[in-house]
Amino acid sequence: MKRNKQVDTLLVGSTYMRRELERNGFNSKKIKLLPPCVQSFPQKLQNLPEQPSILFVGQLIKGKGVDVLLKAYDILCKKSTLQIPLHIIGRGNEEAELKQFVQKTSYASLVHFHGWVAHDELAQYYDSSTVVVIPSRWPEPFGMVGVEAMLRERPVLGADVGGIPDWLIHGKNGLLFPSNDAKALYEAMNSLVSDLKR
């Protein structure tokens, strides 16, 4: 740590990362903000589908908050008259538990676990969705999935943690909600889905 503080410049990807370094005693004048480049997709952009659907892309681990998403989705399914599919892309040590939770519900047929998907193939999943959700518990240093979704012109719902608020401006290019709050995520999903159906 002491030797790291002697470097001339530190590049960080978000204001959250900058604050963390400052909190740990790094000289703020040496910290430069340089958001990461996000790889675009060669596929032609597709129009927003008429049928609402929700997409999650990421590791199936506790910190990513997929269980929070499923709890919010549970509320949505119970309160909405619409049948809205949920597509989950990724693998991780919470996968079996998440699948067990879904199997006990009345909407199990609407939740689709796709496993790992190569980056080049993600565009079709973004394009077939109407809402992309990033329900993270842990503070994402940046949150590349949300920016990828925006490259495909899809609205994003993101937890208000880490570097996500750097690029997700509440009410402009998506909605922020308090991390680990399933009710707030449900309200955000319901609001966005309702707007898209008008």
Side-chain angles (χ1 to χ4, degrees), residues 114-187:
H114 298 277
W116 180 84
V117 172
H119 185 269
D120 292 347
E121 299 173 12
L122 283 177
Q124 62 182 310
Y125 290 94
Y126 287 125
D127 290 350
S128 63
S129 68
T130 52
V131 180
V132 177
V133 180
I134 305 174
S136 299
R137 277 192 181 85
W138 82 294
E140 300 277 355
F142 184 74
M144 302 284 275
V145 166
V147 180
E148 286 183 351
M150 289 178 183
L151 282 173
R152 304 308 294 177
E153 298 183 357
R154 296 306 182 254
V156 177
L157 303 178
D160 191 4
V161 292
I164 294 173
D166 271 26
W167 49 263
L168 181 53
I169 312 304
H170 185 72
K172 291 191 176 181
N173 57 2
L175 298 175
L176 289 167
F177 60 91
S179 177
N180 206 29
D181 189 334
K183 185 171 183 288
L185 174 52
Y186 152 71
E187 290 169 351

Side-chain angles (χ1 to χ4, degrees), residues 15-32:
T15 53
Y16 164 75
M17 295 171 72
R18 180 204 294 272
R19 288 194 303 268
E20 284 298 293
L21 288 176
E22 290 172 344
R23 191 172 64 83
N24 283 281
F26 284 81
N27 184 342
S28 60
K29 292 181 180 178
K30 293 184 176 183
I31 304 170
K32 305 299 180 187

Side-chain angles (χ1 to χ4, degrees), residues 34-113:
L34 181 65
C37 295
V38 179
Q39 182 180 349
S40 62
F41 298 93
Q43 293 93 332
K44 181 181 176 182
L45 283 172
Q46 301 296 316
N47 293 330
L48 204 66
E50 290 186 14
Q51 168 66 35
S53 66
I54 299 165
L55 175 66
F56 168 86
V57 179
Q59 290 181 286
L60 306 187
I61 58 176
K62 201 75 172 175
K64 291 293 188 178
V66 189
D67 59 316
V68 179
L69 170 57
L70 287 175
K71 290 171 186 173
Y73 183 73
D74 183 79
I75 302 171
L76 183 68
C77 287
K78 288 173 179 175
K79 293 193 174 187
S80 176
T81 56
L82 300 172
Q83 288 200 324
I84 304 169
L86 169 61
H87 296 272
I88 297 174
I89 293 176
R91 296 247 182 235
N93 57 25
E94 293 286 311
E95 184 173 353
E97 187 175 329
L98 294 168
K99 286 180 175 179
Q100 286 174 7
F101 174 86
V102 170
Q103 287 304 314
K104 295 175 183 176
T105 68
S106 60
Y107 50 81
S109 63
L110 294 173
V111 181
H112 308 278
F113 288 87

